Amino acid sequence: METQIDNLLKRNQLSVTGSRKKILELFLASRGALAHGDIEKKTGEKFDRVTVYRTLQVFLEKGIIHTIPTADNSIRYALCKDECSEGHHHDNHVHFICTTCGNTTCLADVTIPEVKLPVGFKATEFQMLVNGVCMECQ
Amino acid sequence: METQIDNLLKRNQLSVTGSRKKILELFLASRGALAHGDIEKKTGEKFDRVTVYRTLQVFLEKGIIHTIPTADNSIRYALCKDECSEGHHHDNHVHFICTTCGNTTCLADVTIPEVKLPVGFKATEFQMLVNGVCMECQ
DNA sequence: GTAACTGCAAAATATTTGCATCCTT
DNA sequence: AAGGATGCAAATATTTTGCAGTTAC
């Protein structure tokens, strides 16, 4: 049986390996975004730390995942939606960071509003972050 | 003569020291935001790396500077406007990150637009980042 | 004089690189 | 079989902590 995950990897010309599959599963299972540390922990410490670094790197290059900036140290990663292709993302939704549980959620239905930039600035990409309390932590 | 910088420090109950003054000067001189590394470099390597960490930490706590999230590793810091007080920021403007020169600029005149969140999410803070080419790099 | 700040040393973390081995195709 | 992926070891880089000496008030 061809799984969704296998397809995703093959579509991006990547070999289908155990670590890649498990890391992708993790992303699919957690609706939100993951930091490097989350991945090491939640996979049950099965991979080498280095493998996680390299896997995330490759996924980023292929446009399978994207980074979500945060104000604290930790970079978060999240799955790109299908429309994303290599080097060209349509990550135009708002990201929500819960100050209680720390989870980052992609608010896929909330589109980033337009802003007018001062003359001389040319935008290529917009990101919006919202901090607050999420549904589960109310 | 009481400088602007001395006042800023005293207003926040901080002793006026050489390193603090020089780091604040740097922030005032560069219209944009600075990463930790920038500060080490641009002050001419005069301070201990540790002093920079601790100074930024204190400034953050006092609300003199705030962090700007970025998609790459580097956290940037920028001066808060006067209205910011301890623990209570009014950092409601858009930040612009130039993909050419790498500088981060506070677009003080561009206010973050409102967004409607899904039911169950309660926002406390909004951040907006724009990537693109800045005025100087056009 | 006292409390706060700094610099040095060192510990703790995080990230990157090289290389031999193993796995996918 | 060949190329790519992984794991280990080790090199770098980053951040934190403790403490003694120094400085601001």
Side-chain angles (χ1 to χ4, degrees):
Chain A
M1 173 203 153
E2 282 284 283
T3 70
Q4 178 187 7
I5 288 172
D6 289 14
N7 275 325
L8 185 54
L9 287 171
K10 283 181 185 161
R11 209 188 313 147
N12 286 283
Q13 298 127 45
L14 296 173
S15 352
V16 179
T17 66
S19 35
R20 284 175 181 170
K21 275 166 49 159
K22 274 184 204 130
I23 290 178
L24 278 183
E25 271 168 30
L26 237 185
F27 274 113
L28 288 172
S30 54
R31 293 187 297 94
L34 299 171
H36 178 101
D38 296 332
I39 295 167
E40 275 190 70
K41 276 170 223 145
K42 295 194 187 171
T43 51
E45 204 73 29
K46 292 184 179 179
F47 317 118
D48 198 88
R49 179 190 299 272
V50 177
T51 301
V52 177
Y53 278 113
R54 288 195 272 225
T55 303
L56 290 175
Q57 189 62 43
V58 171
F59 286 178
L60 266 183
E61 282 163 11
K62 293 293 183 178
I64 298 174
I65 59 176
H66 63 268
T67 58
I68 300 171
T70 57
D72 61 344
N73 259 328
S74 64
I75 306 179
R76 303 295 181 101
Y77 302 89
L79 277 181
C80 286
K81 288 187 299 193
D82 300 334
E83 308 99 67
C84 288
S85 56
E86 188 160 349
H88 191 67
H89 295 268
H90 297 282
D91 180 24
N92 60 348
H93 59 270
V94 172
H95 290 117
F96 189 93
I97 302 171
C98 180
T99 49
T100 302
C101 64
N103 284 338
T104 303
T105 315
C106 295
L107 300 180
D109 299 332
V110 184
T111 307
I112 297 178
E114 298 276 314
V115 291
K116 251 198 204 118
L117 296 179
V119 182
F121 289 87
K122 215 154 126 195
T124 56
E125 200 190 345
F126 295 85
Q127 303 233 36
M128 188 154 180
L129 298 177
V130 182
N131 291 291
V133 184
C134 77
M135 208 151 47
E136 267 115 48
C137 295
Q138 289 293 348
Chain B
M1 174 203 153
E2 283 285 282
T3 71
Q4 178 188 7
I5 288 173
D6 288 14
N7 274 324
L8 185 54
L9 288 172
K10 282 181 187 165
R11 207 187 316 145
N12 287 282
Q13 298 127 46
L14 296 173
S15 348
V16 179
T17 67
S19 35
R20 285 176 180 170
K21 275 164 53 159
K22 273 181 203 133
I23 290 178
L24 277 184
E25 272 168 27
L26 237 185
F27 274 112
L28 288 171
S30 54
R31 293 188 298 93
L34 300 171
H36 179 102
D38 297 332
I39 295 167
E40 277 190 69
K41 278 170 220 141
K42 295 193 186 168
T43 50
E45 204 72 31
K46 291 184 179 179
F47 316 119
D48 197 86
R49 179 189 299 273
V50 177
T51 300
V52 176
Y53 278 111
R54 287 196 273 225
T55 304
L56 290 176
Q57 189 61 44
V58 170
F59 286 178
L60 266 183
E61 281 163 12
K62 292 293 184 179
I64 298 174
I65 59 177
H66 62 269
T67 58
I68 300 172
T70 57
D72 62 343
N73 260 326
S74 63
I75 307 180
R76 304 296 181 101
Y77 303 88
L79 278 181
C80 285
K81 288 188 299 194
D82 299 334
E83 309 98 67
C84 288
S85 55
E86 186 161 349
H88 191 69
H89 295 268
H90 297 281
D91 180 24
N92 59 348
H93 58 270
V94 173
H95 290 117
F96 189 93
I97 302 172
C98 180
T99 49
T100 303
C101 65
N103 284 338
T104 303
T105 315
C106 295
L107 300 180
D109 298 333
V110 183
T111 307
I112 298 178
E114 298 275 316
V115 290
K116 253 202 202 113
L117 296 180
V119 182
F121 289 87
K122 216 153 128 194
T124 55
E125 200 188 345
F126 295 86
Q127 302 235 34
M128 187 153 181
L129 297 176
V130 182
N131 291 290
V133 184
C134 76
M135 209 150 48
E136 266 115 48
C137 295
Q138 290 291 352

